[in-house]
Amino acid sequence: MQVAFNYRRKKMAQKTFGLQWHITDNCDQRCKHCYIYAGKDLAKENGLPLDKLSVILQDFITTCKKMKRIPFIAVTGGDPLLYKNVWEFFALLKQNNIKFAILGNPFHINDEIAKKLKDFGCNNYQMSLDGLEETHDTIRKKGSFQATLNKISCLKNAGISTTIMATVSKSNINEIPDLVDIVVDYDVDNFAFARYCPNPDDHDNIVTAQEYHDFLDKMWSKFVYYKNSNTKFVLKDHLWNLYLYEKGLLNI
């Protein structure tokens, strides 16, 4: 079930060429695992001016034409909606018929903004849940757990698909399986997780190999249980291939 889904994603990747573009460091959260701020609050606004973004964009479009691939951009930051020329940037994408996704937070989304994003070509909005409410709000920002859940229907009503992403660390690994129940209940379109890449002083937050293997067992059981739900479970971590091979579900 999930292997077939992963295969469809790979086929789609052969037709597109994706760019994850950090257009700003501006953000009104200070997530404890953020690699930009790294807990030191030293990052400064360094977003490029719009004319330089336009030059990079045209270079990207030219590259895609040479490769005979469809361009696709995942716009992120910081919070991309805090980039000072964000709507002019989205207008450039629309003028060049480029669909895009946003990797952001829930605090600057409302019904009007969601509809406007859809009109400019946004087809997916990714937000994060890093554990259950108390843990997530400790890692990110008080109130962000409920804010994230509240904005799912707002985005879906505008015709934008939703993705929930989790970052797995020792502090939340036991809570991530319970998130699957929540995202299915909220009819989230896609759910994925990735392992935490530690900041220099936070290596104690890394899970062990055995802990992560046991975690994959629990997550796979959840995915199979909800295989007929509307939520797609994206097998983002490359270690899924080893896990599925071990279980006899993937041929190399």
Side-chain angles (χ1 to χ4, degrees):
M1 169 269 299
Q2 304 301 341
V3 179
F5 171 65
N6 219 22
Y7 174 66
R8 288 197 294 272
R9 289 180 65 241
K10 290 177 180 177
K11 287 187 69 176
M12 179 60 70
Q14 293 170 1
K15 299 176 183 178
T16 61
F17 187 76
L19 170 67
Q20 183 169 310
W21 198 346
H22 294 241
I23 62 171
T24 182
D25 283 349
N26 272 359
C27 188
D28 47 7
Q29 296 191 90
R30 293 295 181 269
C31 304
K32 287 182 170 57
H33 56 239
C34 179
Y35 57 84
I36 295 176
Y37 288 89
K40 300 172 183 175
D41 206 25
L42 296 177
K44 298 179 180 179
E45 164 58 32
N46 62 354
L48 292 175
L50 186 65
D51 58 343
K52 291 191 176 181
L53 289 186
S54 179
V55 171
I56 296 170
L57 177 63
Q58 292 306 316
D59 196 21
F60 176 61
I61 293 171
T62 299
T63 299
C64 290
K65 287 180 179 178
K66 290 181 179 179
M67 298 172 63
K68 297 181 180 179
R69 296 290 183 266
I70 300 170
F72 182 81
I73 296 176
V75 186
T76 185
D79 187 338
L81 294 184
L82 294 180
Y83 175 61
K84 59 184 178 181
N85 298 118
V86 67
W87 296 108
E88 292 90 340
F89 175 65
F90 290 156
L92 287 176
L93 300 185
K94 185 175 182 179
Q95 290 167 16
N96 288 279
N97 196 32
I98 296 177
K99 300 297 182 182
F100 63 95
I102 292 179
L103 283 59
N105 70 50
F107 295 110
H108 307 289
I109 292 290
N110 55 37
D111 291 338
E112 180 182 357
I113 294 297
K115 291 176 182 177
K116 191 173 179 181
L117 286 171
K118 179 64 176 179
D119 181 63
F120 276 90
C122 178
N123 60 16
N124 184 270
Y125 199 102
Q126 176 179 302
M127 298 179 289
S128 295
L129 288 178
D130 291 320
L132 301 180
E133 185 168 6
E134 182 178 356
T135 299
H136 172 89
D137 284 1
T138 298
I139 293 172
R140 290 185 175 269
K141 181 178 179 179
K142 187 174 178 58
S144 66
F145 184 88
Q146 285 300 327
T148 297
L149 295 178
N150 292 341
K151 296 304 169 68
I152 291 170
S153 60
C154 171
L155 292 161
K156 291 174 73 70
N157 289 340
I160 298 174
S161 67
T162 54
T163 297
I164 291 296
M165 180 72 183
T167 301
V168 181
S169 67
K170 193 176 285 289
S171 65
N172 65 9
I173 189 169
N174 293 325
E175 298 183 7
I176 303 300
D178 291 332
L179 280 181
V180 179
D181 302 317
I182 294 172
V183 298
V184 170
D185 186 52
Y186 275 79
D187 207 28
V188 171
D189 296 290
N190 307 288
F191 175 77
F193 61 83
R195 284 167 288 152
Y196 173 52
C197 296
N199 293 314
D201 299 325
D202 197 22
H203 285 271
D204 290 341
N205 212 8
I206 302 175
V207 299
T208 67
Q210 187 60 54
E211 286 173 332
Y212 196 70
H213 186 279
D214 294 344
F215 169 73
L216 291 181
D217 263 331
K218 294 176 184 177
M219 296 302 288
W220 183 253
S221 295
K222 285 282 188 178
F223 293 172
V224 171
Y225 181 79
Y226 286 117
K227 65 181 180 180
N228 295 320
S229 72
N230 293 325
T231 301
K232 294 185 176 71
F233 302 107
V234 183
L235 307 185
K236 182 180 176 68
D237 193 328
H238 66 272
L239 289 179
W240 274 118
N241 289 333
L242 292 176
Y243 176 83
L244 294 175
Y245 175 73
E246 181 184 83
K247 291 181 67 71
L249 297 172
L250 178 67
N251 293 321
I252 296 179

